[in-house]
Amino acid sequence: MENRSLGQGQVSVPVVGLGTWRRLEAAAAAGRHRELIQAAIAAGIWLIDTSPMYGAAERLISDALNSHRGQVFIADKVWTPSAEGGTAQLSRAVDWYGGRVDLMQIHNLVAWQTHLPMLEAARERGLVGLIGATHYSPGAFGELAELMRTGRIDTVQVPYNPAHREVERTILPLADDLGVGVLLMRPLGEGQLMRRPPSPAQLAPLRPFGITTWAQALLKWGLSDPRVHVSLTATAQPGRLTENAAGGSPPWFGAEERAYVVRLAATR
Ligand SMILES: NC(=O)c1ccc[n+]([C@@H]2O[C@H](COP(=O)([O-])OP(=O)(O)OC[C@H]3O[C@@H](n4cnc5c(N)ncnc54)[C@H](OP(=O)(O)O)[C@@H]3O)[C@@H](O)[C@H]2O)c1
């Protein structure tokens, strides 16, 4: 798995990260959340993204990590309109993750003007490593760009896959100009793009790039854009982590292969 730098070279992280929206709770319901987190680390997926919005996910990660906290990079979020709520969410996360959150993001830009100074103060105290912001909707990308231009955030988290390419218009060029790290969400379209995978014959032209499955092709598609740093994919199935991790190794697709994946995705 390749590593890329975030925060103007401050930290190096694996290009495939583990998302935890809905899927970690699904793994826990099957009694497999510890196995999932351990399998992710073993596969080289040692960046984990979570949020207070994802039910019990933050607590489940903390429970599963136990003595392995030092092996992972935690990307958590604040998600509340209230200043007190944001402070309480950070304090809970700091407790869960051994005194420090590696990246704290403002989820869906909720009350960012309120939370940003609080996170900056926490960074001064060593409780937070990097600061970021996320949004899933192209309608909010104007506001996200405004925040990026303040120079006060290190990363953004946005959706990007062959069926949703709105970030190519403003967010990716701006991130590249400003040196802002990009974590992409929904690389498999929340699973929608996986419903009717292409046949092995259709994937054959991608085999020289190490691709054996459609999930790997979609992950490599996003990561082959050099303005992207991390692709966050979620699964409840530990057996899928080695497969997904393989989408994060070079050789990267060129323009021709990326266009081919877009054509394949259009018929899913
Ligand atoms: N900040 C925000 O606004 C925001 C919004 C959305 C997401 N996110 C973050 O981004 C992460 C990733 O996004 P996502 O979870 O929506 O979507 P995703 O990774 O695009 O899709 C996840 C779905 O793909 C399936 N899947 C995973 N690996 C697979 C494989 N190898 N083969 C077949 N199916 C596979 C999973 O099902 P199985 O469990 O059955 O494998 C799951 O249903 C989230 O978990 C979250 O951390 C943030």
Side-chain angles (χ1 to χ4, degrees), residues 178-201:
L178 297 172
V180 169
V182 175
L183 288 79
L184 66 90
M185 63 171 86
R186 301 179 176 164
L188 313 182
E190 297 179 288
Q192 304 271 334
L193 291 168
M194 298 305 302
R195 279 181 305 189
R196 287 189 306 118
S199 67

Side-chain angles (χ1 to χ4, degrees), residues 198-214 217 220 251-254 256-261 263-264:
S199 67
Q202 287 174 307
L203 291 177
L206 304 175
R207 212 160 287 148
F209 294 83
I211 298 301
T212 57
T213 71
W214 181 227
K220 187 159 280 194
W252 303 110
F253 293 154
E256 200 179 306
E257 293 78 29
R258 291 191 95 222
Y260 180 64
V261 173
R263 288 200 298 279
L264 288 178

Side-chain angles (χ1 to χ4, degrees), residues 14-61:
V15 292
V16 176
L18 182 69
T20 59
W21 184 55
R22 292 189 173 154
R23 308 317 296 147
L24 188 62
E25 286 188 320
R32 302 186 79 183
H33 69 283
R34 294 192 189 95
E35 186 192 344
L36 185 82
I37 300 285
Q38 294 308 321
I41 297 170
I45 301 177
W46 49 268
L47 181 153
I48 304 176
D49 179 76
T50 191
S51 169
M53 191 205 250
Y54 306 161
E58 293 168 291
R59 180 182 57 71
L60 290 168
I61 294 166

Side-chain angles (χ1 to χ4, degrees), residues 21 23 49 54 108 188 190 232-237 240 244:
W21 184 55
R23 308 317 296 147
D49 179 76
Y54 306 161
N108 290 350
L188 313 182
E190 297 179 288
L232 297 169
T233 186
T235 182
Q237 303 191 41
R240 286 185 162 161
N244 291 355

Side-chain angles (χ1 to χ4, degrees), residues 166-179:
E166 296 87 351
V167 289
E168 289 176 351
R169 238 173 285 144
T170 318
I171 300 297
L172 292 182
L174 186 61
D176 195 36
D177 276 358
L178 297 172

Side-chain angles (χ1 to χ4, degrees), residues 119-173:
L119 293 178
E120 289 170 331
R123 185 176 52 194
E124 286 294 306
R125 295 168 57 209
L127 303 177
V128 165
L130 303 178
I131 297 174
T134 81
H135 214 291
Y136 66 91
S137 168
F141 289 169
E143 190 179 356
L144 184 59
E146 183 195 326
L147 173 54
M148 291 163 75
R149 287 193 191 94
T150 65
R152 293 168 70 184
I153 58 170
D154 303 297
T155 67
V156 288
Q157 186 184 142
V158 286
Y160 190 39
N161 62 51
H164 290 101
R165 303 178 60 179
E166 296 87 351
V167 289
E168 289 176 351
R169 238 173 285 144
T170 318
I171 300 297
L172 292 182

